[in-house]
């Protein structure tokens, strides 16, 4: 009998999390070269994941079958969200009970999804491993719950404290995140395993040859990423190094288009970029610049950091535990600074006196570092997590 593995993306639709889910799927395919894989998700999301695998030449994707499901609509009616959470949980676990299925991977998880999943696993005495990846929602552990009884009861911390199925494991997307969990929430941390975000790499773009030195903000301008700080940097530096350029390789979410000094940044707009336009902007950068709030990234991974590696760009980062961990592992892949003032001085210095030799070395280090985060390199670590949940 051919064995099967189930993967499910229970919340993301369209382009959201496509690179991550494609790379996680590729990691599973690399770690288990024989079983078939069934991937559950929203229809457009499945198509985009499939195209991403094809674009990166993943021949093993031939072993994947695609199963559309309805996922909760973000910001939608609460009861409708709960209904869809219940529906996908029921469907996936019903499929998982088939004798040919070995284990289940949830590519993401929500508090409401876990609210249904945990009791269902316990009540049905489900014996197969279930591995759930927690993304940004993990950061809510350090935020106070709403005083409204309904939201208080649904806070992630309370859901995680519910009786825990023996074969359920959570994934924290970096060793640094697991370390912080162990300090702040030692009881909960025992249920987590650390796993690096896998990435399917393209060929890195050739290093830029300034002038001009082009500094870029990668991704959306959502709150914790502090696009306002990047705009201030662009404005402040322009007076000292007028040839430097600042670019948004992404789009402005929420009120990003009205941030003070955003006119000092090229490419600011509310329209999401298509894949080609995003790639062209990212490839044109000399450095990526990370201006996010360091505290926020104690429990949350940074997609912008992975984008920097993907396009082969050295980065300039406000020091935070997540990025510090990878600098310690990967070497000279850019610059870590401890304050806005230090970042401003560094950017002015790079724009005025570009360090050609070090920049070339940094680009080489970035490309070399990427290999440790490929699906093939991480397959063994993911297999160990699944095997550890068996008994």
């Amino acid at each position: 009998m051919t064995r099967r593995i189930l993967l499910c993306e229970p919340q993301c639709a369209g382009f959201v999390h496509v690179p991550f889910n494609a790379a996680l799927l590729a990691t599973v395919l690399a770690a288990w070269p024989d079983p078939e894989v069934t991937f559950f998700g929203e229809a457009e999301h499945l198509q985009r994941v499939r195209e991403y695998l094809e674009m990166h030449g993943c021949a093993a994707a031939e072993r994947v079958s695609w199963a559309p499901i309805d996922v909760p609509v973000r910001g939608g009616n609460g009861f409708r969200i709960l209904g869809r959470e219940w529906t996908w949980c029921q469907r996936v676990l019903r499929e998982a009970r088939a004798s040919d299925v070995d284990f289940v991977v949830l590519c993401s998880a929500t508090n409401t999804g876990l609210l249904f999943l945990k009791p269902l696993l316990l009540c049905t005495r489900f014996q197969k491993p279930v591995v759930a990846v927690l993304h940004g929602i993990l950061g809510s552990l350090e935020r106070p719950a709403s005083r409204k009884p309904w939201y208080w009861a649904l806070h992630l911390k309370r859901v995680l404290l519910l009786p825990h199925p023996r074969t359920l494991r959570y994934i924290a997307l970096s060793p640094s995140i697991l370390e912080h969990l162990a300090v702040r929430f030692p009881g909960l941390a025992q249920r987590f395993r650390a796993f690096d975000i896998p990435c399917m790499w393209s060929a890195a773009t050739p290093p830029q040859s300034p002038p001009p030195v082009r500094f870029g903000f990668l991704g959306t301008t959502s709150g914790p990423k502090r696009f306002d700080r990047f705009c201030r940097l662009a404005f402040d530096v322009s007076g000292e190094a007028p040839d430097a350029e600042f670019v948004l390789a992404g789009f402005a979410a929420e009120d990003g288009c009205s941030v003070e000094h955003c006119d000092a940044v090229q490419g600011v707009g509310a329209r999401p970029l298509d894949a080609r336009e995003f790639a062209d902007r990212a490839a044109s950068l000399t450095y990526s610049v990370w201006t996010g709030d360091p505290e926020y990234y104690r429990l949350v991974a940074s997609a912008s950091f992975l984008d920097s590696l993907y396009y082969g760009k050295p980065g300039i980062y406000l020091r935070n535990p997540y990025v510090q961990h990878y600098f310690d592992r990967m070497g000279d892949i850019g610059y870590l600074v401890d304050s806005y003032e230090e970042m401003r001085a560094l950017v002015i210095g790079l724009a005025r006196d570009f360090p050609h030799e070090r920049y070339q070395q940094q680009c080489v280090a970035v490309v070399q570092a990427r290999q440790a985060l490929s699906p093939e390199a991480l397959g063994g670590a993911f297999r160990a997590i699944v095997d550890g949940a068996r008994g």
Side-chain angles (χ1 to χ4, degrees):
M1 177 188 298
T2 302
R3 310 303 301 169
R4 265 197 310 152
I5 298 167
L6 304 188
L7 270 72
C8 177
E9 174 46 74
Q11 64 169 321
C12 296
F15 65 85
V16 179
H17 278 197
V18 164
F20 173 83
N21 286 343
L24 182 62
L25 176 54
T27 302
V28 170
L29 292 169
W32 288 271
D34 297 319
E36 303 290 328
V37 175
T38 302
F39 195 111
F40 294 87
E42 184 263 342
E44 182 187 349
H45 185 77
L46 295 182
Q47 180 60 32
R48 288 177 179 263
V49 169
R50 189 172 187 171
E51 291 170 354
Y52 196 91
L53 291 170
E54 292 173 355
M55 181 176 72
H56 288 83
C58 181
E62 296 177 354
R63 292 192 277 128
V64 181
S65 58
W66 308 90
I69 59 172
D70 290 329
V71 301
V73 178
R74 292 187 179 186
N77 176 277
F79 289 104
R80 189 175 183 185
I81 288 174
L82 291 176
R84 290 194 173 183
E85 297 276 30
W86 172 258
T87 299
W88 77 254
C89 279
Q90 287 274 63
R91 180 176 174 186
V92 171
L93 290 184
R94 183 169 58 248
E95 185 83 12
R97 283 192 285 271
S99 60
D100 64 328
V101 173
D102 283 339
F103 61 90
V104 179
V105 178
L106 301 181
C107 302
S108 67
T110 63
N111 54 336
T112 49
L114 292 174
L115 181 68
F116 290 128
L117 178 70
K118 295 179 74 174
L120 280 172
L121 293 175
L122 288 167
C123 291
T124 59
R125 298 184 180 181
F126 193 81
Q127 298 298 312
K128 300 174 183 178
V130 178
V131 175
V133 182
L134 272 67
H135 292 265
I137 192 174
L138 200 54
S140 68
L141 286 178
E142 294 191 312
R143 297 193 292 271
S146 169
R147 293 183 179 180
K148 296 180 180 179
W150 175 253
Y151 294 106
W152 182 90
L154 290 176
H155 191 272
L156 179 64
K157 183 177 180 180
R158 288 171 183 81
V159 173
L160 293 180
L161 288 172
L162 292 173
H164 188 76
R166 181 177 56 85
T167 60
L168 174 62
R169 293 290 184 277
Y170 304 126
I171 283 182
L173 288 171
S174 167
S176 68
I177 292 175
L178 184 57
E179 288 173 7
H180 187 66
L181 273 172
V183 172
R184 292 283 286 112
F185 309 99
L188 295 180
Q190 298 173 13
R191 302 166 185 175
F192 282 80
R193 299 294 181 269
F195 185 69
D196 293 307
I197 294 180
C199 294
M200 304 182 74
W201 306 111
S202 65
T205 55
Q208 302 302 302
S209 299
V213 183
R214 187 172 291 122
F215 303 93
F217 185 100
L218 290 164
T220 63
T221 63
S222 56
K225 296 180 70 174
R226 295 298 303 270
F227 181 61
D228 62 317
R229 189 177 282 154
F230 182 76
C231 291
R232 177 188 168 194
L233 180 71
F235 177 80
D236 288 350
V237 170
S238 64
E240 303 285 341
D243 291 335
E245 295 183 359
F246 292 81
V247 178
L248 172 60
F251 68 95
E254 302 166 355
D255 61 349
C257 290
S258 60
V259 169
E260 187 178 13
H261 303 314
C262 70
D263 55 347
V265 178
Q266 301 174 22
V268 178
R271 177 184 61 84
L273 305 181
D274 62 36
R276 173 48 55 194
E277 189 174 2
F278 177 81
D280 288 345
R281 288 195 194 181
S284 75
L285 303 179
T286 313
Y287 296 99
S288 68
V289 180
W290 190 94
T291 52
D293 287 327
E295 288 299 314
Y296 179 79
Y297 292 90
R298 290 187 180 277
L299 289 175
V300 177
S302 170
S304 296
F305 172 73
L306 276 300
D307 283 338
S308 296
L309 298 186
Y310 186 90
Y311 290 99
K313 305 301 176 182
I316 300 168
Y317 305 92
L318 279 175
R319 191 183 306 273
N320 65 88
Y322 178 81
V323 175
Q324 178 75 65
H325 168 79
Y326 290 105
F327 266 69
D328 292 343
R329 281 175 54 181
M330 297 175 174
D332 187 10
I333 56 174
Y335 301 89
L336 287 171
V337 298
D338 294 308
S339 67
Y340 171 83
E341 290 72 23
E342 188 179 343
M343 176 178 282
R344 177 181 175 276
L346 172 64
V347 169
I348 291 171
L350 293 173
R352 287 178 171 175
D353 185 16
F354 185 72
H356 290 273
E357 183 175 351
R358 183 176 179 186
Y359 182 75
Q360 297 292 327
Q361 294 170 348
Q362 288 174 329
C363 290
V364 171
V366 168
V367 173
Q368 291 176 342
R370 302 188 318 176
Q371 299 314 307
L373 302 180
S374 69
E376 294 75 18
L378 292 174
F382 196 80
R383 185 163 191 144
I385 292 172
V386 173
D387 289 344
R390 294 187 189 277

